[in-house]
Amino acid sequence: MVRPENSAQPSVEKLVLYVRSDPDVTPLDGVFDREAESIEVTTETDPQTALSRLETADVDCLVSGYDLPGTDGIEFLEAVRESHPDLPFILFTGAGDEATASRAISAGVTDYVRADAESRGVESLAARVREVLAGAGAGPDGRGDRARIEYFADAFPDGAFAVDERGTVLDVFA
């Protein structure tokens, strides 16, 4: 796979593909210091185009909204997992609840970040993208870790969690 090159810009070490339904709202624009962090964010609004891009670009992390044209973020995650089982996938949604979080975990999401004011939405997302790109907090399967358990416990205080002996979240119960 080949990274897009542009000699007028600094070399990009990490590429984040952000898939969302609204092309006018891209909350990750300007969040990363491109020169200092070497992170480029590319946005797609069509899940099928995003899947094609995964075949032609060396994407390091995929961030997806939940409400997507013709599908939802979890169905999109399942399609991504068919060809890219180890690609970090962060579901970023304001439409989520305990049931959505449980479905996302069962489908193999790397992380689930709520886009609401209480969870500091974009700040939390940017921090989690940085952690994923740095390889921090990845469990043996590359998906779960203790920080993720703590996040879900804070986000859903009335929920119960099933975890294995390594701390990987297996399921969330509302």
Side-chain angles (χ1 to χ4, degrees):
M1 290 188 223
V2 179
R3 264 190 213 288
E5 292 288 332
N6 184 339
S7 59
Q9 297 179 358
S11 129
V12 175
E13 292 180 21
K14 301 292 182 178
L15 179 61
V16 176
L17 178 58
Y18 187 21
V19 183
R20 58 176 297 112
S21 59
D22 187 350
D24 296 327
V25 180
T26 53
L28 287 178
D29 281 352
V31 171
F32 301 108
D33 179 344
R34 185 159 177 199
E35 285 191 40
E37 297 181 275
S38 299
I39 298 172
E40 178 182 336
V41 179
T42 300
T43 303
E44 287 291 345
T45 56
D46 177 53
Q48 291 305 315
T49 303
L51 288 172
S52 295
R53 183 172 287 230
L54 289 177
E55 300 307 320
T56 60
D58 191 11
V59 175
D60 298 293
C61 179
L62 195 149
V63 175
S64 176
Y66 181 78
D67 293 319
L68 299 172
T71 189
D72 66 38
I74 297 171
E75 290 173 355
F76 179 58
L77 167 62
E78 291 168 345
V80 168
R81 287 287 176 244
E82 287 179 20
S83 58
H84 296 81
D86 299 322
L87 178 66
F89 188 111
I90 299 172
L91 187 63
F92 181 59
T93 180
D97 56 18
E98 290 89 351
T100 303
S102 179
R103 284 184 55 219
I105 290 169
S106 295
V109 74
T110 304
D111 210 341
Y112 177 92
V113 179
R114 291 179 65 181
D116 60 21
E118 286 182 22
S119 68
R120 300 183 334 255
V122 173
E123 294 170 18
S124 296
L125 175 60
R128 189 59 185 132
V129 167
R130 285 182 184 102
E131 290 170 8
V132 165
L133 293 176
D141 64 356
R143 297 180 184 162
D145 64 4
R146 192 143 314 273
R148 195 170 97 181
I149 296 169
E150 291 170 7
Y151 168 79
F152 281 111
D154 289 343
F156 305 108
D158 295 330
F161 306 88
V163 296
D164 66 14
E165 63 278 352
R166 296 179 302 214
T168 303
V169 177
L170 302 174
D171 208 347
V172 179
F173 307 95

